[in-house]
Every structure is written in structure tokens, then in C-alpha cells.
Amino acid sequence: MSSNTSRVKTIFRSKTSKALDKVEDPRDTLDDNYDQQVKLLHQVRRAVAEVATAKKRIELQGQEMGSRYQRLGSQAREALAQGREDLARAALERRALLENQVAKLQQQFSSLERQSSQLQERERVLTEQVGAFRIEKETIKATYTASEAQVKANEAVSGLSNTITEVGSSLDRARDRVAQMQARAAATDELLASGALTDLTAAPDADIERQLAAVSAKADVDRQLQALKDANPSAAAPASERGGSAADGWLGIGQGTPQP
């Protein structure tokens, strides 16, 4: 049951992660919006520069016309002083025509001056907005990044806890298997010792030989015990221990033949 639950959690985490990957990253969106605002600000600044250039060009043209206007007036006065009324009239006619041109130029200059002031104000407001948006953007991005890191850390801890739980379950199962195997080994040892199970590695008829050896050993012990009871030292010692010197007497132990 626990393994199935763990498998379901793993599948759920995988599907959730894939779904989150498809969600738009707000940091990228904020950066894109900021870039668009910066582009608009650059466009406004270029417009301010273009209007300022046009206004300066008109201003220079107006200054040139003003100088000509003053010069024509001087020429008209000089012509009258010399008795040349015709030249004075011509200078005044040109001056009147130039005055009309200067009036139109003044209107253009005033219009450009108002437009320049408006653009400069818009540029100032937009600069403040872009600066405020940049600070807000970086704050949101930092908060999102910190939250994302916390989520990843929590997921890592959760995954580690699940792994530790699974490892603990595996260890418990392994301990149970070891205990079962130890109990089975002990049980088979007892069955082999009792003869309930046949040792397939033993020689044929080994069980009969083992039983005869046990009966013979018991009979030998009974004889030695009876000899001790009869207080007969020579009878109490086994045949393999009688005779011979202590140095080579050990050769006859277990042989069943008395030493000379």
C-alpha cells in the first residue's frame, strides 16, 4: 500500500512540475514590459531632441530675418537722406514682406516651443514611471526567485523524507527476511540432528553407521563404569591405554589393540 502511495505521489509531482513549466515566468514578463517602456522613453527623448533641433533652426532663421529687417530699415532711412525716395520705398516694401514672413516664423517657433515643453514634461513623467517600475520589477523578481528557491528546497526535503521512509521500509523487510532465514536454518539443523531430514551429502547407510557407533560408544562407557565399580584398575582402563610406554602410548589410542 505504501509503495503504491509513493508511486502516485511521484507521478503527481512529475505532472505538477510539467504543468508549472508551461506557466509563463513573471520575471520574463516584467523584463519584457520594462524593455517596452524603455523603448517608449527613448522614442520620446528622440522626439524632444528633434523638436529642439527644429526650434533652434527656426530661431536661427528668425535671427537672420531680424538682422535683414533692421538692415532694410537702415537702408530706407539712408535712401531718404540721399533724396532717393524710390529706393526708400522699395526697402520699406521688402521690409513689410519680411515682417509677414517673420510673423509666420514666430508662430511656428511658438508652436514648437509649446510642443517641446509638452514633450519634456512627458519625458520627465515617463522617466519617473520607468524608474519606479524598474524598482518594483526587481523587487517582485527577487521575491519570486526567493519563493521559487524555497519551493525547490521544500520539494527536495519532501523527496528526501520519502526516500528515507522507503529505505526504512526496505530495511525492515530485509531484517524480517534475515530473521526468517535464521529461524529456518536453526530448524533444519535440529531436523538434521534428529534424523527427520536426510543429509543428501552423507555417504550411503551413514545413518546406520552413526547409530552403531553411538551404541558401541555407550557399551564401552558402560564397561568402563562397571570396571570402576568392581575396583579393578586394569579393567577400568580401555584396552588402547594398557601397555606401552608413555612416549609412544598415544599411538595406540583408539586402535583397539593392546600394546605389548
Side-chain angles (χ1 to χ4, degrees):
M1 184 64 179
S2 60
S3 60
N4 293 333
T5 303
S6 177
R7 190 179 301 109
V8 170
K9 289 181 179 179
T10 302
I11 295 174
F12 177 76
R13 284 198 301 268
S14 177
K15 291 185 177 295
T16 303
S17 177
K18 291 180 180 179
L20 290 176
D21 290 340
K22 297 179 181 179
V23 177
E24 186 178 17
D25 193 332
R27 293 169 295 187
D28 296 337
T29 303
L30 291 172
D31 287 336
D32 292 340
N33 292 335
Y34 178 74
D35 292 340
Q36 292 176 3
Q37 292 186 13
V38 170
K39 289 179 181 178
L40 291 175
L41 179 59
H42 289 165
Q43 291 177 1
V44 172
R45 287 176 175 173
R46 282 196 299 270
V48 170
E50 291 174 357
V51 171
T53 301
K55 188 179 72 170
K56 187 63 177 179
R57 185 167 55 249
I58 291 177
E59 183 180 0
L60 293 175
Q61 189 177 358
Q63 291 175 356
E64 182 180 354
M65 288 182 176
S67 299
R68 184 185 176 193
Y69 183 83
Q70 296 293 334
R71 186 170 59 254
L72 288 172
S74 299
Q75 289 175 350
R77 287 190 296 271
E78 183 179 355
L80 284 176
Q82 294 180 5
R84 294 292 305 271
E85 184 177 345
D86 56 336
L87 290 179
R89 182 181 295 276
L92 292 176
E93 288 176 352
R94 292 181 182 180
R95 184 180 178 185
L97 181 61
L98 185 61
E99 186 175 349
N100 292 331
Q101 294 177 353
V102 169
K104 293 180 181 179
L105 198 64
Q106 289 174 348
Q107 292 178 356
Q108 292 179 1
F109 183 81
S110 298
S111 176
L112 287 175
E113 195 170 29
R114 290 192 300 271
Q115 186 177 358
S116 177
S117 299
Q118 293 175 355
L119 287 174
Q120 288 178 359
E121 179 63 18
R122 291 177 183 176
E123 188 269 340
R124 183 187 65 80
V125 173
L126 186 57
T127 299
E128 293 179 355
Q129 292 178 348
V130 171
F133 181 80
R134 181 182 63 81
I135 295 175
E136 184 69 15
K137 171 181 73 75
E138 295 301 328
T139 302
I140 294 175
K141 287 175 60 178
T143 303
Y144 184 86
T145 302
S147 300
E148 184 182 37
Q150 182 177 2
V151 169
K152 291 182 179 179
N154 292 339
E155 289 178 350
V157 172
S158 177
L160 179 61
S161 299
N162 294 334
T163 301
I164 292 176
T165 301
E166 294 174 0
V167 170
S169 300
S170 300
L171 288 175
D172 291 339
R173 290 193 300 269
R175 293 190 186 99
D176 292 340
R177 293 288 296 174
V178 170
Q180 293 176 3
M181 191 60 64
Q182 289 177 341
R184 184 176 177 182
T188 52
D189 286 342
E190 293 178 357
L191 291 175
L192 284 173
S194 64
L197 289 180
T198 302
D199 187 2
L200 298 179
T201 61
D205 303 327
D207 55 337
I208 296 177
E209 293 179 0
R210 183 173 58 253
Q211 294 181 25
L212 291 175
V215 172
S216 176
K218 183 178 181 300
D220 188 48
V221 170
D222 291 340
R223 283 195 301 271
Q224 294 182 35
L225 180 60
Q226 186 62 40
L228 290 174
K229 290 180 180 180
D230 295 339
N232 186 354
S234 61
S240 59
E241 296 181 4
R242 294 195 299 267
S245 63
D248 56 1
W250 64 273
L251 295 174
I253 296 176
Q255 301 299 322
T257 304
Q259 296 296 324

